[in-house]
Amino acid sequence: MKSSSQTGRTGTRSVEKTDPGMMSFIGMAVAVISVIIMLILYLVPFTGANKRNPVVVFMGCEGNFPRISMMNTLHRAGFDMLVADEQTELDPDKVYIVAGVGDNAFDYMVRYRDQENVAGFILICPKLPANGQIDGFDSQSPYKDIAIFAGKDNADKVEDLKDARIIFERISGVDTVYGIPITRGGLFASEAFVNVSQNRYLSMSCFDIKDAGHYLFSPMFQNELAGYIGVTYHNYAIKDPSFAGINIWFALFVLSFFGAVAGLCIYLAPLPVVVSDIKQERVPLQEKTAVGIIGGVTLAFVVGTIAMSFIHRLRFLIPYILVVLPIVFMLVLTCSRLKFILSREDKFKHKNGKLRRPVVMCVLIGLFVLLASAIVGDMKVHVAYPEAAIAAVAFAVDLILSSGLLYADRRSRSLGQGGCSYYGNRVIFLLMMIPSIFAFLFGLVTSQDLVMYSGLEGILATLVPFLCLIPLRRHSDRSFIPSILHAFTFAVMVLLVL
């Protein structure tokens, strides 16, 4: 005889326990404490600024920048931070260390080489100038400290050297092919070269660095950077570097991140499942047209990505397309189910359960995603529109579409038709992931970093909101509150990846 606690294949329970039990309380406590720690970690880097601190000014940074972690690293080392653009003017009353990032890093050194209040230069993954000439630079000119940080380069022939080693050899006079490097670090040690005058420094990571901007996020790089500037520019700093403060901050962030995830899992484990996980693996007849459209859009994107990857002026559009595609797919699915959603017959009515549990889950998960994203990235979009306007539009559009699709899934299950659309059909969700996965693999195979990282960003924008919604979708039969969480996390992901 069938259990009365389940109906059909959807696994909807008729009895819901109200007492979550001790395990849930423990899990909730761990998650809340972890989120509080993340909030503290977000605020800590803003301390330590001082008008007398020398300033490390980053130039050439495009896209996301690890503002919070880098600020913490530099403040603990006794320095301030500035992310500048081409129009930024340096304050003549402050001491600067110019850090050029990416292909044009060498150009920033040329620009500021004779500025008196610039104490030295840091080149991060630089490229040789277009003409291959670096006239006017050697081990004594300019008589300022120059450091180069780059990826792995274990070439044993002069003709195989990468740009960073070539630049270092020309400005230092050091032979890196036959010279013996200094090993810095532990398990993932980097190799370093220093000239006799100790004013030219080269550090090569043990990893291949495909993108200078993403290299900045590495805790190992930030730790080594703090060590270098702390020793080289100690005469300008007003305090000694605190490496314990840097390492503890990174360790606490990792622990709090996984602590929040583990706490939420422990909290949810004993709770009764109101709606079972995705069971529908066949596309319903009502949605086959929508799936066909999604497939056509995906195919067009695949062809377009291949074409745009060879056109420099269009290549930058790929990340924006990938961020918009989830909304486009959800709109197509909503249109295919619009009649079903608006129908007045057999309306779905949720149980009269308390709102406290779904609201608490929504707030806790939302804060976790927001704080983790704010710590990891700068949340500043690099388009000509205000961040607030972009986030508001993304939130509003996603809220409308996700509310309708979640309601359609609830109603379909209550009618015994199984899960449907975005929230209840595994096939449809996997189809929505294909464009981002293709972009990642295509960029990886063709060594196009922009396309590869765009694919990763698209995966984040599509996958994270869906994963965050699973607890509320399974443990609550409401539609609007989970949709708020989905819209909020999608808006956060848009700000994070753009």
Side-chain angles (χ1 to χ4, degrees), residues 482-493:
S483 298
I484 291 176
L485 177 62
H486 189 280
F488 178 79
T489 52
F490 177 73
V492 170
M493 288 300 106

Side-chain angles (χ1 to χ4, degrees), residues 209-253:
I209 307 301
K210 292 183 176 293
D211 182 81
H214 290 85
Y215 184 38
L216 299 175
F217 288 81
S218 168
M220 292 180 290
F221 163 74
Q222 292 191 24
N223 194 291
E224 186 175 357
L225 175 65
Y228 168 76
I229 61 176
V231 172
T232 306
Y233 304 102
H234 65 90
N235 291 333
Y236 298 98
I238 61 175
K239 70 174 186 178
D240 294 329
S242 172
F243 294 103
I246 298 171
N247 295 329
I248 290 174
W249 189 90
F250 280 108
L252 284 177
F253 172 65

Side-chain angles (χ1 to χ4, degrees), residues 305-306 309-310 437-448 451:
T305 298
I306 297 173
S309 65
F310 297 104
I437 295 174
F438 170 80
F440 170 73
L441 295 176
F442 180 76
L444 182 65
V445 171
T446 59
S447 298
Q448 298 189 61
V451 179

Side-chain angles (χ1 to χ4, degrees), residues 9-12 273-284 287 406 409-410 413 417-433 463 466-467 469-471 473-475:
R9 63 184 299 176
T10 63
T12 303
V273 176
V274 177
V275 179
S276 67
D277 201 356
I278 297 174
K279 294 294 184 182
Q280 188 68 278
E281 296 185 3
R282 294 182 179 179
V283 178
E287 294 176 331
L406 187 56
D409 180 61
R410 302 293 199 211
R413 292 171 186 268
Q417 299 175 9
C420 74
S421 203
Y422 172 60
Y423 293 106
N425 194 296
R426 187 180 287 110
V427 174
I428 292 177
F429 175 71
L430 292 177
L431 283 174
M432 293 174 64
M433 291 287 294
L463 185 62
F466 184 84
L467 291 179
L469 201 71
I470 289 178
R473 185 173 59 80
R474 286 171 55 84
H475 298 284

Side-chain angles (χ1 to χ4, degrees), residues 148-153 180-193 201-209 215 218-225 228:
I148 301 175
F149 291 85
K152 182 171 66 175
D153 183 2
I180 300 175
I182 304 169
T183 302
R184 299 288 300 271
L187 181 61
F188 302 106
S190 59
E191 294 184 343
F193 289 92
Y201 177 84
L202 170 66
S203 173
M204 297 178 292
S205 171
C206 64
F207 299 103
D208 289 319
I209 307 301
Y215 184 38
S218 168
M220 292 180 290
F221 163 74
Q222 292 191 24
N223 194 291
E224 186 175 357
L225 175 65
Y228 168 76

